[in-house]
Amino acid sequence: QKEVEQDPGPLSVPEGAIVSLNCTYSNSAFQYFMWYRQYSRKGPELLMYTYSSGNKEDGRFTAQVDKSSKYISLFIRDSQPSDSATYLCAMSARGGGSEKLVFGKGTKLTVNP
Amino acid sequence: DAGVTQSPTHLIKTRGQQVTLRCSPKSGHDTVSWYQQALGQGPQFIFQYYEEEERQRGNFPDRFSGHQFPNYSSELNVNALLLGDSALYLCASSDGRPSYEQYFGPGTRLTVT
């Protein structure tokens, strides 16, 4: 079993839709959870960074962490064509500053005008 | 404020050759991590450097080695290249404190023929 599982999609939605992206994990030591956005042939860009369980909102993006279920989600409201990218979840036990990040495979999202 | 920079952008090498990739961290960051991202996969951790020492290493053979310089920039060296080493190599930098985020550069795309 992989430490982090993420459905690779692809996921295609109309502009304005609410998008839900998810990851599950098996390592109960993970405490820090991140979502990165990666455009084609570019490096990952940090979108959201959360610690432990709960919700965090930033504009159209909401990150949720449920440690009891080992399940994290990213919601995108009012999706735009510019949101079309691959979304990667990542996590670590002690925080990315001093430790490796473990990534999911990424979910490829297309938002159609 | 310049973000993480990497060079070269892309390169093509032949099996058996050696390659050196370079990374300059974001201003104020002292920790550099390297990741390998194969096509359609999430990034895989290679190693992390802090205070010019390898602090953590992923599951990569000894053909992969690195170095960090006093100005915090870093090199990734790969010897005896294999076709399977073809990938996007990503550098990420962070403040070395545990709870801090990792920020990625644009990557170097390596093709081994």
Side-chain angles (χ1 to χ4, degrees), chain A residues 2 32 34 36 38 41-46 49 88 94-106, chain B residues 31 35 37 40-43 45 48 55-56 88 90 94-102 104-106 109:
Chain A
K2 285 199 165 187
Y32 294 85
M34 288 134 271
Y36 285 86
Q38 186 174 28
R41 307 183 84 81
K42 303 289 186 184
E45 169 194 11
L46 181 64
Y49 182 82
L88 297 155
R94 296 194 307 272
S98 64
E99 185 185 52
K100 70 177 184 180
L101 300 181
V102 181
F103 281 85
K105 286 184 70 169
Chain B
T31 302
Y35 293 80
Q37 186 177 23
Q41 302 295 317
F45 176 77
Q48 185 180 83
R55 176 155 68 178
Q56 193 176 20
L88 181 68
L90 295 162
S94 55
D95 180 313
R97 289 171 284 180
S99 64
Y100 282 71
E101 305 92 329
Q102 287 188 14
F104 283 82
R109 184 161 298 280

mmCIF file of all heavy atoms in Angstrom, chain A residues 2 32 34 36 38 41-46 49 88 94-106, chain B residues 31 35 37 40-43 45 48 55-56 88 90 94-102 104-106 109:
data_model
loop_
_atom_site.group_PDB
_atom_site.id
_atom_site.type_symbol
_atom_site.label_atom_id
_atom_site.label_comp_id
_atom_site.label_asym_id
_atom_site.label_seq_id
_atom_site.Cartn_x
_atom_site.Cartn_y
_atom_site.Cartn_z
ATOM 1 N N LYS A 2 0.579 2.180 -0.929
ATOM 2 C CA LYS A 2 1.339 3.414 -0.971
ATOM 3 C C LYS A 2 0.982 4.277 0.227
ATOM 4 O O LYS A 2 -0.135 4.232 0.738
ATOM 5 C CB LYS A 2 1.024 4.158 -2.268
ATOM 6 C CG LYS A 2 1.681 3.555 -3.491
ATOM 7 C CD LYS A 2 1.725 4.567 -4.615
ATOM 8 C CE LYS A 2 2.673 4.114 -5.692
ATOM 9 N NZ LYS A 2 2.889 5.133 -6.722
ATOM 10 N N TYR A 32 1.382 17.484 8.756
ATOM 11 C CA TYR A 32 1.356 18.661 7.891
ATOM 12 C C TYR A 32 0.873 18.227 6.513
ATOM 13 O O TYR A 32 1.367 17.238 5.958
ATOM 14 C CB TYR A 32 2.751 19.284 7.798
ATOM 15 C CG TYR A 32 3.236 19.846 9.106
ATOM 16 C CD1 TYR A 32 3.865 19.028 10.041
ATOM 17 C CD2 TYR A 32 3.059 21.184 9.416
ATOM 18 C CE1 TYR A 32 4.295 19.532 11.253
ATOM 19 C CE2 TYR A 32 3.491 21.704 10.624
ATOM 20 C CZ TYR A 32 4.100 20.871 11.536
ATOM 21 O OH TYR A 32 4.523 21.378 12.734
ATOM 22 N N MET A 34 -0.333 19.539 2.530
ATOM 23 C CA MET A 34 -0.181 20.598 1.549
ATOM 24 C C MET A 34 -0.873 20.236 0.252
ATOM 25 O O MET A 34 -1.020 19.049 -0.071
ATOM 26 C CB MET A 34 1.315 20.807 1.236
ATOM 27 C CG MET A 34 2.086 21.460 2.355
ATOM 28 S SD MET A 34 3.659 20.605 2.672
ATOM 29 C CE MET A 34 3.156 19.370 3.874
ATOM 30 N N TYR A 36 -0.401 21.392 -3.780
ATOM 31 C CA TYR A 36 0.376 22.114 -4.781
ATOM 32 C C TYR A 36 -0.372 22.069 -6.112
ATOM 33 O O TYR A 36 -1.037 21.080 -6.434
ATOM 34 C CB TYR A 36 1.751 21.470 -4.975
ATOM 35 C CG TYR A 36 2.744 21.728 -3.867
ATOM 36 C CD1 TYR A 36 2.774 20.920 -2.728
ATOM 37 C CD2 TYR A 36 3.673 22.769 -3.959
ATOM 38 C CE1 TYR A 36 3.698 21.153 -1.712
ATOM 39 C CE2 TYR A 36 4.602 22.998 -2.950
ATOM 40 C CZ TYR A 36 4.608 22.185 -1.837
ATOM 41 O OH TYR A 36 5.528 22.416 -0.843
ATOM 42 N N GLN A 38 0.343 22.341 -10.236
ATOM 43 C CA GLN A 38 1.439 22.237 -11.192
ATOM 44 C C GLN A 38 0.888 22.381 -12.604
ATOM 45 O O GLN A 38 0.133 21.528 -13.068
ATOM 46 C CB GLN A 38 2.179 20.898 -11.032
ATOM 47 C CG GLN A 38 3.418 20.792 -11.894
ATOM 48 C CD GLN A 38 4.224 19.533 -11.610
ATOM 49 O OE1 GLN A 38 3.684 18.508 -11.193
ATOM 50 N NE2 GLN A 38 5.540 19.597 -11.821
ATOM 51 N N ARG A 41 4.660 21.141 -17.450
ATOM 52 C CA ARG A 41 6.085 21.379 -17.633
ATOM 53 C C ARG A 41 6.626 22.505 -16.739
ATOM 54 O O ARG A 41 7.620 23.141 -17.066
ATOM 55 C CB ARG A 41 6.406 21.664 -19.095
ATOM 56 C CG ARG A 41 5.875 20.583 -20.033
ATOM 57 C CD ARG A 41 6.264 20.848 -21.466
ATOM 58 N NE ARG A 41 7.599 20.367 -21.771
ATOM 59 C CZ ARG A 41 7.912 19.111 -22.062
ATOM 60 N NH1 ARG A 41 6.978 18.185 -22.075
ATOM 61 N NH2 ARG A 41 9.138 18.770 -22.346
ATOM 62 N N LYS A 42 5.958 22.729 -15.592
ATOM 63 C CA LYS A 42 6.418 23.714 -14.620
ATOM 64 C C LYS A 42 6.621 23.048 -13.264
ATOM 65 O O LYS A 42 6.205 21.904 -13.055
ATOM 66 C CB LYS A 42 5.384 24.848 -14.475
ATOM 67 C CG LYS A 42 5.045 25.562 -15.762
ATOM 68 C CD LYS A 42 6.188 26.411 -16.247
ATOM 69 C CE LYS A 42 5.777 27.230 -17.465
ATOM 70 N NZ LYS A 42 6.922 28.004 -18.011
ATOM 71 N N GLY A 43 7.242 23.765 -12.334
ATOM 72 C CA GLY A 43 7.387 23.261 -10.977
ATOM 73 C C GLY A 43 6.099 23.438 -10.179
ATOM 74 O O GLY A 43 5.270 24.281 -10.507
ATOM 75 N N PRO A 44 5.907 22.638 -9.139
ATOM 76 C CA PRO A 44 4.713 22.762 -8.290
ATOM 77 C C PRO A 44 4.695 24.094 -7.537
ATOM 78 O O PRO A 44 5.735 24.560 -7.055
ATOM 79 C CB PRO A 44 4.852 21.589 -7.309
ATOM 80 C CG PRO A 44 5.808 20.643 -7.958
ATOM 81 C CD PRO A 44 6.739 21.486 -8.740
ATOM 82 N N GLU A 45 3.498 24.661 -7.422
ATOM 83 C CA GLU A 45 3.287 25.933 -6.731
ATOM 84 C C GLU A 45 2.436 25.661 -5.486
ATOM 85 O O GLU A 45 1.373 25.052 -5.591
ATOM 86 C CB GLU A 45 2.560 26.885 -7.677
ATOM 87 C CG GLU A 45 2.030 28.158 -7.050
ATOM 88 C CD GLU A 45 1.037 28.871 -7.949
ATOM 89 O OE1 GLU A 45 0.600 28.285 -8.962
ATOM 90 O OE2 GLU A 45 0.672 30.005 -7.630
ATOM 91 N N LEU A 46 2.912 26.103 -4.331
ATOM 92 C CA LEU A 46 2.195 25.847 -3.092
ATOM 93 C C LEU A 46 0.888 26.634 -3.047
ATOM 94 O O LEU A 46 0.876 27.850 -3.196
ATOM 95 C CB LEU A 46 3.072 26.225 -1.894
ATOM 96 C CG LEU A 46 2.464 25.984 -0.519
ATOM 97 C CD1 LEU A 46 2.232 24.488 -0.282
ATOM 98 C CD2 LEU A 46 3.386 26.544 0.567
ATOM 99 N N TYR A 49 -1.489 25.120 2.917
ATOM 100 C CA TYR A 49 -0.592 24.458 3.881
ATOM 101 C C TYR A 49 -1.337 24.402 5.204
ATOM 102 O O TYR A 49 -1.663 25.431 5.775
ATOM 103 C CB TYR A 49 0.689 25.268 3.995
ATOM 104 C CG TYR A 49 1.741 24.702 4.917
ATOM 105 C CD1 TYR A 49 2.590 23.702 4.474
ATOM 106 C CD2 TYR A 49 1.910 25.203 6.208
ATOM 107 C CE1 TYR A 49 3.584 23.197 5.298
ATOM 108 C CE2 TYR A 49 2.894 24.702 7.037
ATOM 109 C CZ TYR A 49 3.736 23.701 6.583
ATOM 110 O OH TYR A 49 4.716 23.195 7.388
ATOM 111 N N LEU A 88 -1.482 18.344 -6.768
ATOM 112 C CA LEU A 88 -0.735 17.353 -6.007
ATOM 113 C C LEU A 88 -0.974 17.553 -4.519
ATOM 114 O O LEU A 88 -0.822 18.666 -4.012
ATOM 115 C CB LEU A 88 0.768 17.504 -6.265
ATOM 116 C CG LEU A 88 1.267 17.270 -7.688
ATOM 117 C CD1 LEU A 88 2.561 18.028 -7.923
ATOM 118 C CD2 LEU A 88 1.488 15.791 -7.933
ATOM 119 N N ARG A 94 6.856 16.076 10.241
ATOM 120 C CA ARG A 94 7.387 17.175 11.064
ATOM 121 C C ARG A 94 7.354 18.517 10.357
ATOM 122 O O ARG A 94 7.840 19.488 10.869
ATOM 123 C CB ARG A 94 8.826 16.865 11.484
ATOM 124 C CG ARG A 94 8.974 15.651 12.372
ATOM 125 C CD ARG A 94 10.357 15.628 12.999
ATOM 126 N NE ARG A 94 11.425 15.753 12.021
ATOM 127 C CZ ARG A 94 11.984 14.724 11.390
ATOM 128 N NH1 ARG A 94 11.566 13.507 11.626
ATOM 129 N NH2 ARG A 94 12.953 14.923 10.515
ATOM 130 N N GLY A 95 6.795 18.566 9.169
ATOM 131 C CA GLY A 95 6.758 19.846 8.468
ATOM 132 C C GLY A 95 7.819 19.907 7.402
ATOM 133 O O GLY A 95 8.916 19.397 7.563
ATOM 134 N N GLY A 96 7.491 20.553 6.295
ATOM 135 C CA GLY A 96 8.361 20.530 5.129
ATOM 136 C C GLY A 96 9.696 21.199 5.315
ATOM 137 O O GLY A 96 10.604 21.003 4.529
ATOM 138 N N GLY A 97 9.833 22.029 6.349
ATOM 139 C CA GLY A 97 11.074 22.751 6.513
ATOM 140 C C GLY A 97 12.261 21.852 6.772
ATOM 141 O O GLY A 97 13.389 22.162 6.405
ATOM 142 N N SER A 98 12.023 20.742 7.428
ATOM 143 C CA SER A 98 13.154 19.913 7.849
ATOM 144 C C SER A 98 13.014 18.466 7.418
ATOM 145 O O SER A 98 13.759 17.614 7.872
ATOM 146 C CB SER A 98 13.290 19.956 9.365
ATOM 147 O OG SER A 98 12.151 19.377 9.966
ATOM 148 N N GLU A 99 12.071 18.183 6.534
ATOM 149 C CA GLU A 99 11.794 16.787 6.241
ATOM 150 C C GLU A 99 11.243 16.639 4.838
ATOM 151 O O GLU A 99 10.703 17.579 4.274
ATOM 152 C CB GLU A 99 10.762 16.278 7.251
ATOM 153 C CG GLU A 99 10.449 14.820 7.148
ATOM 154 C CD GLU A 99 9.341 14.417 8.084
ATOM 155 O OE1 GLU A 99 8.293 15.044 8.052
ATOM 156 O OE2 GLU A 99 9.559 13.450 8.829
ATOM 157 N N LYS A 100 11.342 15.431 4.316
ATOM 158 C CA LYS A 100 10.828 15.181 2.979
ATOM 159 C C LYS A 100 9.310 15.316 2.958
ATOM 160 O O LYS A 100 8.615 15.105 3.945
ATOM 161 C CB LYS A 100 11.204 13.764 2.537
ATOM 162 C CG LYS A 100 10.459 12.672 3.295
ATOM 163 C CD LYS A 100 10.802 11.290 2.763
ATOM 164 C CE LYS A 100 9.990 10.221 3.466
ATOM 165 N NZ LYS A 100 10.313 8.870 2.950
ATOM 166 N N LEU A 101 8.810 15.659 1.786
ATOM 167 C CA LEU A 101 7.380 15.617 1.531
ATOM 168 C C LEU A 101 7.070 14.328 0.774
ATOM 169 O O LEU A 101 7.835 13.906 -0.097
ATOM 170 C CB LEU A 101 6.956 16.814 0.675
ATOM 171 C CG LEU A 101 7.233 18.194 1.258
ATOM 172 C CD1 LEU A 101 6.723 19.270 0.306
ATOM 173 C CD2 LEU A 101 6.600 18.346 2.630
ATOM 174 N N VAL A 102 5.938 13.715 1.115
ATOM 175 C CA VAL A 102 5.462 12.535 0.408
ATOM 176 C C VAL A 102 4.258 12.973 -0.416
ATOM 177 O O VAL A 102 3.282 13.506 0.127
ATOM 178 C CB VAL A 102 5.078 11.401 1.380
ATOM 179 C CG1 VAL A 102 4.611 10.175 0.593
ATOM 180 C CG2 VAL A 102 6.261 11.046 2.268
ATOM 181 N N PHE A 103 4.337 12.755 -1.721
ATOM 182 C CA PHE A 103 3.329 13.255 -2.649
ATOM 183 C C PHE A 103 2.404 12.150 -3.137
ATOM 184 O O PHE A 103 2.790 10.974 -3.229
ATOM 185 C CB PHE A 103 4.009 13.848 -3.888
ATOM 186 C CG PHE A 103 4.571 15.222 -3.693
ATOM 187 C CD1 PHE A 103 5.840 15.385 -3.166
ATOM 188 C CD2 PHE A 103 3.852 16.339 -4.044
ATOM 189 C CE1 PHE A 103 6.373 16.659 -2.990
ATOM 190 C CE2 PHE A 103 4.369 17.621 -3.879
ATOM 191 C CZ PHE A 103 5.635 17.770 -3.349
ATOM 192 N N GLY A 104 1.178 12.562 -3.489
ATOM 193 C CA GLY A 104 0.315 11.710 -4.284
ATOM 194 C C GLY A 104 0.721 11.813 -5.744
ATOM 195 O O GLY A 104 1.601 12.592 -6.112
ATOM 196 N N LYS A 105 0.048 11.026 -6.615
ATOM 197 C CA LYS A 105 0.380 11.028 -8.034
ATOM 198 C C LYS A 105 -0.066 12.291 -8.741
ATOM 199 O O LYS A 105 0.431 12.615 -9.813
ATOM 200 C CB LYS A 105 -0.269 9.827 -8.729
ATOM 201 C CG LYS A 105 0.384 8.507 -8.449
ATOM 202 C CD LYS A 105 -0.268 7.393 -9.253
ATOM 203 C CE LYS A 105 0.028 7.490 -10.728
ATOM 204 N NZ LYS A 105 -0.395 6.278 -11.462
ATOM 205 N N GLY A 106 -1.036 13.012 -8.143
ATOM 206 C CA GLY A 106 -1.579 14.196 -8.791
ATOM 207 C C GLY A 106 -2.870 13.892 -9.519
ATOM 208 O O GLY A 106 -3.046 12.794 -10.055
ATOM 209 N N THR B 31 17.753 25.546 3.445
ATOM 210 C CA THR B 31 17.574 24.106 3.269
ATOM 211 C C THR B 31 17.121 23.819 1.843
ATOM 212 O O THR B 31 16.208 24.486 1.336
ATOM 213 C CB THR B 31 16.508 23.580 4.260
ATOM 214 O OG1 THR B 31 16.934 23.885 5.589
ATOM 215 C CG2 THR B 31 16.325 22.076 4.126
ATOM 216 N N TYR B 35 13.948 16.480 -5.705
ATOM 217 C CA TYR B 35 12.915 15.501 -6.021
ATOM 218 C C TYR B 35 13.035 15.099 -7.490
ATOM 219 O O TYR B 35 13.432 15.908 -8.328
ATOM 220 C CB TYR B 35 11.518 16.079 -5.787
ATOM 221 C CG TYR B 35 11.174 16.367 -4.345
ATOM 222 C CD1 TYR B 35 11.629 17.527 -3.720
ATOM 223 C CD2 TYR B 35 10.391 15.490 -3.603
ATOM 224 C CE1 TYR B 35 11.324 17.795 -2.400
ATOM 225 C CE2 TYR B 35 10.066 15.756 -2.273
ATOM 226 C CZ TYR B 35 10.544 16.906 -1.685
ATOM 227 O OH TYR B 35 10.217 17.169 -0.366
ATOM 228 N N GLN B 37 10.623 13.720 -10.587
ATOM 229 C CA GLN B 37 9.234 13.541 -10.993
ATOM 230 C C GLN B 37 9.184 12.902 -12.378
ATOM 231 O O GLN B 37 9.473 13.553 -13.388
ATOM 232 C CB GLN B 37 8.468 14.866 -10.997
ATOM 233 C CG GLN B 37 6.978 14.690 -11.268
ATOM 234 C CD GLN B 37 6.204 15.994 -11.194
ATOM 235 O OE1 GLN B 37 6.751 17.079 -11.363
ATOM 236 N NE2 GLN B 37 4.903 15.897 -10.916
ATOM 237 N N GLY B 40 3.747 11.766 -15.351
ATOM 238 C CA GLY B 40 2.494 11.232 -14.821
ATOM 239 C C GLY B 40 2.541 10.798 -13.368
ATOM 240 O O GLY B 40 1.594 10.190 -12.870
ATOM 241 N N GLN B 41 3.642 11.097 -12.681
ATOM 242 C CA GLN B 41 3.797 10.704 -11.282
ATOM 243 C C GLN B 41 3.997 11.936 -10.405
ATOM 244 O O GLN B 41 4.307 13.027 -10.891
ATOM 245 C CB GLN B 41 5.020 9.793 -11.128
ATOM 246 C CG GLN B 41 4.971 8.537 -11.970
ATOM 247 C CD GLN B 41 3.862 7.607 -11.554
ATOM 248 O OE1 GLN B 41 3.627 7.384 -10.360
ATOM 249 N NE2 GLN B 41 3.147 7.059 -12.527
ATOM 250 N N GLY B 42 3.813 11.744 -9.100
ATOM 251 C CA GLY B 42 4.155 12.797 -8.166
ATOM 252 C C GLY B 42 5.654 12.837 -7.912
ATOM 253 O O GLY B 42 6.363 11.858 -8.187
ATOM 254 N N PRO B 43 6.171 13.942 -7.409
ATOM 255 C CA PRO B 43 7.601 14.023 -7.098
ATOM 256 C C PRO B 43 8.008 12.993 -6.046
ATOM 257 O O PRO B 43 7.270 12.743 -5.103
ATOM 258 C CB PRO B 43 7.758 15.446 -6.553
ATOM 259 C CG PRO B 43 6.612 16.215 -7.135
ATOM 260 C CD PRO B 43 5.486 15.235 -7.198
ATOM 261 N N PHE B 45 11.096 12.045 -3.354
ATOM 262 C CA PHE B 45 12.183 12.681 -2.607
ATOM 263 C C PHE B 45 13.505 11.965 -2.849
ATOM 264 O O PHE B 45 13.604 10.737 -2.704
ATOM 265 C CB PHE B 45 11.820 12.661 -1.123
ATOM 266 C CG PHE B 45 12.881 13.190 -0.208
ATOM 267 C CD1 PHE B 45 13.097 14.548 -0.091
ATOM 268 C CD2 PHE B 45 13.644 12.321 0.552
ATOM 269 C CE1 PHE B 45 14.053 15.039 0.777
ATOM 270 C CE2 PHE B 45 14.603 12.799 1.415
ATOM 271 C CZ PHE B 45 14.817 14.164 1.539
ATOM 272 N N GLN B 48 17.856 15.779 1.083
ATOM 273 C CA GLN B 48 17.755 17.145 1.587
ATOM 274 C C GLN B 48 19.098 17.555 2.197
ATOM 275 O O GLN B 48 19.729 16.781 2.910
ATOM 276 C CB GLN B 48 16.677 17.239 2.658
ATOM 277 C CG GLN B 48 16.430 18.665 3.159
ATOM 278 C CD GLN B 48 15.346 18.731 4.216
ATOM 279 O OE1 GLN B 48 15.586 18.501 5.400
ATOM 280 N NE2 GLN B 48 14.125 19.046 3.785
ATOM 281 N N ARG B 55 20.906 15.754 5.152
ATOM 282 C CA ARG B 55 20.158 15.541 6.395
ATOM 283 C C ARG B 55 19.216 14.346 6.296
ATOM 284 O O ARG B 55 18.949 13.684 7.284
ATOM 285 C CB ARG B 55 19.372 16.800 6.730
ATOM 286 C CG ARG B 55 18.472 16.660 7.964
ATOM 287 C CD ARG B 55 18.180 17.980 8.630
ATOM 288 N NE ARG B 55 17.354 18.861 7.822
ATOM 289 C CZ ARG B 55 16.950 20.058 8.247
ATOM 290 N NH1 ARG B 55 17.273 20.496 9.442
ATOM 291 N NH2 ARG B 55 16.223 20.827 7.452
ATOM 292 N N GLN B 56 18.699 14.110 5.106
ATOM 293 C CA GLN B 56 17.756 13.004 4.928
ATOM 294 C C GLN B 56 17.871 12.519 3.494
ATOM 295 O O GLN B 56 18.157 13.308 2.580
ATOM 296 C CB GLN B 56 16.325 13.489 5.215
ATOM 297 C CG GLN B 56 15.302 12.377 5.378
ATOM 298 C CD GLN B 56 13.927 12.905 5.745
ATOM 299 O OE1 GLN B 56 13.615 14.073 5.545
ATOM 300 N NE2 GLN B 56 13.082 12.030 6.276
ATOM 301 N N LEU B 88 11.693 14.986 -14.665
ATOM 302 C CA LEU B 88 11.829 16.381 -14.266
ATOM 303 C C LEU B 88 12.450 16.387 -12.872
ATOM 304 O O LEU B 88 11.931 15.744 -11.951
ATOM 305 C CB LEU B 88 10.448 17.052 -14.233
ATOM 306 C CG LEU B 88 10.413 18.537 -13.846
ATOM 307 C CD1 LEU B 88 11.076 19.396 -14.931
ATOM 308 C CD2 LEU B 88 8.972 18.989 -13.608
ATOM 309 N N LEU B 90 13.329 18.398 -9.619
ATOM 310 C CA LEU B 90 12.850 19.581 -8.929
ATOM 311 C C LEU B 90 13.691 19.864 -7.695
ATOM 312 O O LEU B 90 14.035 18.951 -6.945
ATOM 313 C CB LEU B 90 11.396 19.371 -8.501
ATOM 314 C CG LEU B 90 10.379 19.228 -9.636
ATOM 315 C CD1 LEU B 90 9.093 18.595 -9.117
ATOM 316 C CD2 LEU B 90 10.090 20.576 -10.270
ATOM 317 N N SER B 94 13.550 25.757 1.667
ATOM 318 C CA SER B 94 12.752 26.076 2.842
ATOM 319 C C SER B 94 13.634 26.689 3.900
ATOM 320 O O SER B 94 14.860 26.558 3.875
ATOM 321 C CB SER B 94 12.074 24.821 3.384
ATOM 322 O OG SER B 94 13.007 23.804 3.648
ATOM 323 N N ASP B 95 12.963 27.366 4.814
ATOM 324 C CA ASP B 95 13.585 27.731 6.071
ATOM 325 C C ASP B 95 13.730 26.412 6.831
ATOM 326 O O ASP B 95 12.812 25.613 6.845
ATOM 327 C CB ASP B 95 12.645 28.689 6.803
ATOM 328 C CG ASP B 95 13.170 29.141 8.135
ATOM 329 O OD1 ASP B 95 13.626 28.286 8.918
ATOM 330 O OD2 ASP B 95 13.103 30.341 8.393
ATOM 331 N N GLY B 96 14.858 26.154 7.454
ATOM 332 C CA GLY B 96 15.106 24.825 8.017
ATOM 333 C C GLY B 96 14.257 24.447 9.207
ATOM 334 O O GLY B 96 14.312 23.317 9.678
ATOM 335 N N ARG B 97 13.466 25.385 9.711
ATOM 336 C CA ARG B 97 12.617 25.048 10.840
ATOM 337 C C ARG B 97 11.511 24.111 10.388
ATOM 338 O O ARG B 97 10.958 24.246 9.313
ATOM 339 C CB ARG B 97 12.040 26.320 11.446
ATOM 340 C CG ARG B 97 13.073 27.146 12.181
ATOM 341 C CD ARG B 97 12.532 28.497 12.589
ATOM 342 N NE ARG B 97 12.464 29.403 11.454
ATOM 343 C CZ ARG B 97 12.027 30.652 11.547
ATOM 344 N NH1 ARG B 97 11.586 31.119 12.705
ATOM 345 N NH2 ARG B 97 11.980 31.423 10.483
ATOM 346 N N PRO B 98 11.157 23.136 11.224
ATOM 347 C CA PRO B 98 10.288 22.028 10.799
ATOM 348 C C PRO B 98 8.964 22.433 10.203
ATOM 349 O O PRO B 98 8.516 21.846 9.231
ATOM 350 C CB PRO B 98 10.089 21.235 12.095
ATOM 351 C CG PRO B 98 11.285 21.537 12.909
ATOM 352 C CD PRO B 98 11.640 22.964 12.594
ATOM 353 N N SER B 99 8.308 23.436 10.764
ATOM 354 C CA SER B 99 6.919 23.683 10.355
ATOM 355 C C SER B 99 6.803 24.493 9.076
ATOM 356 O O SER B 99 5.708 24.792 8.641
ATOM 357 C CB SER B 99 6.179 24.405 11.475
ATOM 358 O OG SER B 99 6.758 25.677 11.697
ATOM 359 N N TYR B 100 7.902 24.811 8.435
ATOM 360 C CA TYR B 100 7.850 25.704 7.292
ATOM 361 C C TYR B 100 7.688 24.982 5.970
ATOM 362 O O TYR B 100 8.028 23.829 5.824
ATOM 363 C CB TYR B 100 9.073 26.624 7.289
ATOM 364 C CG TYR B 100 8.903 27.732 8.286
ATOM 365 C CD1 TYR B 100 8.959 27.482 9.649
ATOM 366 C CD2 TYR B 100 8.630 29.030 7.871
ATOM 367 C CE1 TYR B 100 8.769 28.487 10.573
ATOM 368 C CE2 TYR B 100 8.440 30.045 8.793
ATOM 369 C CZ TYR B 100 8.506 29.762 10.142
ATOM 370 O OH TYR B 100 8.302 30.761 11.058
ATOM 371 N N GLU B 101 7.172 25.738 5.025
ATOM 372 C CA GLU B 101 6.821 25.174 3.729
ATOM 373 C C GLU B 101 8.058 24.967 2.856
ATOM 374 O O GLU B 101 9.101 25.558 3.101
ATOM 375 C CB GLU B 101 5.861 26.120 2.971
ATOM 376 C CG GLU B 101 4.611 26.500 3.716
ATOM 377 C CD GLU B 101 4.752 27.783 4.517
ATOM 378 O OE1 GLU B 101 5.870 28.076 4.995
ATOM 379 O OE2 GLU B 101 3.737 28.488 4.650
ATOM 380 N N GLN B 102 7.897 24.125 1.848
ATOM 381 C CA GLN B 102 8.905 23.980 0.800
ATOM 382 C C GLN B 102 8.388 24.650 -0.469
ATOM 383 O O GLN B 102 7.248 24.421 -0.871
ATOM 384 C CB GLN B 102 9.191 22.497 0.518
ATOM 385 C CG GLN B 102 9.982 21.825 1.625
ATOM 386 C CD GLN B 102 10.431 20.428 1.257
ATOM 387 O OE1 GLN B 102 10.390 20.022 0.106
ATOM 388 N NE2 GLN B 102 10.862 19.684 2.254
ATOM 389 N N PHE B 104 9.096 25.270 -4.566
ATOM 390 C CA PHE B 104 9.758 24.569 -5.661
ATOM 391 C C PHE B 104 10.229 25.518 -6.758
ATOM 392 O O PHE B 104 9.606 26.553 -7.021
ATOM 393 C CB PHE B 104 8.810 23.539 -6.277
ATOM 394 C CG PHE B 104 8.670 22.303 -5.453
ATOM 395 C CD1 PHE B 104 7.808 22.260 -4.383
ATOM 396 C CD2 PHE B 104 9.427 21.177 -5.740
ATOM 397 C CE1 PHE B 104 7.688 21.112 -3.594
ATOM 398 C CE2 PHE B 104 9.316 20.023 -4.976
ATOM 399 C CZ PHE B 104 8.448 19.999 -3.900
ATOM 400 N N GLY B 105 11.299 25.107 -7.403
ATOM 401 C CA GLY B 105 11.758 25.762 -8.610
ATOM 402 C C GLY B 105 11.054 25.201 -9.823
ATOM 403 O O GLY B 105 10.216 24.305 -9.709
ATOM 404 N N PRO B 106 11.409 25.710 -11.023
ATOM 405 C CA PRO B 106 10.740 25.278 -12.252
ATOM 406 C C PRO B 106 11.164 23.903 -12.731
ATOM 407 O O PRO B 106 10.493 23.305 -13.572
ATOM 408 C CB PRO B 106 11.147 26.352 -13.263
ATOM 409 C CG PRO B 106 12.442 26.869 -12.743
ATOM 410 C CD PRO B 106 12.360 26.798 -11.254
ATOM 411 N N ARG B 109 14.451 19.451 -16.880
ATOM 412 C CA ARG B 109 13.969 18.245 -17.571
ATOM 413 C C ARG B 109 15.157 17.518 -18.180
ATOM 414 O O ARG B 109 15.842 18.056 -19.056
ATOM 415 C CB ARG B 109 12.951 18.600 -18.646
ATOM 416 C CG ARG B 109 12.349 17.358 -19.310
ATOM 417 C CD ARG B 109 11.047 17.660 -20.008
ATOM 418 N NE ARG B 109 10.014 18.132 -19.096
ATOM 419 C CZ ARG B 109 9.283 17.344 -18.310
ATOM 420 N NH1 ARG B 109 9.483 16.049 -18.302
ATOM 421 N NH2 ARG B 109 8.341 17.865 -17.531
#
